[in-house]
Amino acid sequence: MKELKQKAAESPIFQDLPTEADEVTVQPETISDFESNTNTIIFKASFCCEDQPEAISEIIRVLTKLQLETIQAEIISVGGRMRINFILKDSNCNETTNIAASAKALKQSLCSALNRITSSSTTTSSVCRIRSKRQRWFLSSHYSHNE
């Protein structure tokens, strides 16, 4: 059993699963195009949080504000948690621009979006629970016994 758990943990399939912790990671990379003799700055970003409907719209708002082009996006949702992995291109960022500052701005913006998502989920979580058919039935039966 231990050997199977270790093999599963080492598998690349399970490395991108959502974690239990809310997190944002951003890694800048430079890709050289030898034909045109230019370098392209990309960011590999990851965003992990509770699966919320407003998460994607918040992320789109951040990427639009920072004028980032999405090269690739992957959304993984398991057990009420989601992870979104991106490869982003910053057309405004070049070798003369401070790449670290651009990465920091992206991470701060994604962290702000994560805070908005988590704060909205805590304020609406009780409303969402009541909307569930099973819990409405539970609540209505609970209140009918008290009357």
Side-chain angles (χ1 to χ4, degrees), residues 31-61:
I31 298 177
S32 298
D33 184 1
F34 295 108
E35 291 178 12
S36 64
N37 200 21
T38 60
N39 290 331
T40 303
I41 308 302
I42 64 166
F43 298 100
K44 290 184 177 182
S46 179
F47 187 92
C48 187
C49 68
E50 188 176 320
D51 195 352
Q52 294 290 325
E54 67 271 12
I56 294 174
S57 62
E58 284 289 336
I59 292 169
I60 290 171
R61 188 175 303 137

Side-chain angles (χ1 to χ4, degrees), residues 5-99:
K5 284 183 180 181
Q6 183 179 0
K7 284 183 180 180
E10 292 171 355
S11 172
I13 294 171
F14 295 108
Q15 291 177 355
D16 286 338
L17 290 178
T19 60
E20 292 181 15
D22 294 340
E23 61 184 359
V24 172
T25 61
V26 174
Q27 299 172 342
E29 290 188 16
T30 304
I31 298 177
S32 298
D33 184 1
F34 295 108
E35 291 178 12
S36 64
N37 200 21
T38 60
N39 290 331
T40 303
I41 308 302
I42 64 166
F43 298 100
K44 290 184 177 182
S46 179
F47 187 92
C48 187
C49 68
E50 188 176 320
D51 195 352
Q52 294 290 325
E54 67 271 12
I56 294 174
S57 62
E58 284 289 336
I59 292 169
I60 290 171
R61 188 175 303 137
V62 167
L63 300 181
T64 303
K65 179 183 172 191
L66 295 175
Q67 299 176 351
L68 296 172
E69 179 185 349
T70 304
I71 305 296
Q72 181 179 353
E74 175 183 59
I75 302 172
I76 304 150
S77 180
V78 177
R81 303 279 303 163
M82 71 186 293
R83 175 181 294 279
I84 304 174
N85 296 323
F86 306 97
I87 297 179
L88 305 165
K89 179 181 174 188
D90 188 350
S91 301
N92 300 323
C93 187
N94 54 39
E95 290 183 44
T96 59
T97 308
N98 189 343
I99 298 168

